[in-house]
Amino acid sequence: MNNKRDGMRRPPFRVAMTADFCDETGKPKFADVGLDVLERHPHIEASSFDHHRSIIEPGQINGAHGVVVLTPHVTGDSIAGSADLLAIGRFGVGYDSVDVEACTRNNV
């Protein structure tokens, strides 16, 4: 897609979802949760983590601008070195599994 303001191609906004959104075959576990909008948007590149871990590891976030989390914990170590990361969305109730202070310190 082109950015009409300067004629340059706009890089995709990369969103990663934790692996627990999918079953062992890679298909979504939950129907109609609204995340399919990410796959339909022309400027968003959506993917899922390859492996489920109880705590997100820094390498799982590399290159993502946004992460949608179901059950894993997000720690300061999880986001360390993730220069492109802008947002973490917790799918469910509350942010008790997300170190919000670490995110704030890292401009996430």
Side-chain angles (χ1 to χ4, degrees):
M1 300 293 147
N2 289 330
N3 183 335
K4 293 180 181 180
R5 289 182 289 200
D6 59 16
M8 300 290 290
R9 176 161 259 201
R10 181 189 314 193
F13 187 87
R14 292 180 303 280
V15 177
M17 294 176 281
T18 55
D20 50 350
F21 280 102
C22 298
D23 64 20
E24 57 279 345
T25 67
K27 295 186 187 220
K29 288 182 184 176
F30 311 102
D32 298 327
V33 295
L35 293 175
D36 59 328
V37 70
L38 298 175
E39 295 177 6
R40 293 192 316 258
H41 195 286
H43 300 294
I44 295 176
E45 189 177 279
S47 63
S48 293
F49 290 179
D50 290 334
H51 302 292
H52 175 71
R53 292 185 168 80
S54 60
I55 299 173
I56 294 175
E57 295 180 1
Q60 292 181 290
I61 294 177
N62 283 348
H65 298 109
V67 176
V68 183
V69 178
L70 188 57
T71 61
H73 288 260
V74 179
T75 66
D77 288 339
S78 300
I79 62 173
S82 298
D84 295 328
L85 187 62
L86 300 171
I88 292 177
R90 164 70 171 82
F91 192 84
V93 178
Y95 276 84
D96 55 328
S97 63
V98 177
D99 186 340
V100 176
E101 290 179 14
C103 290
T104 301
R105 282 192 308 272
N106 288 280
N107 297 316
V108 175

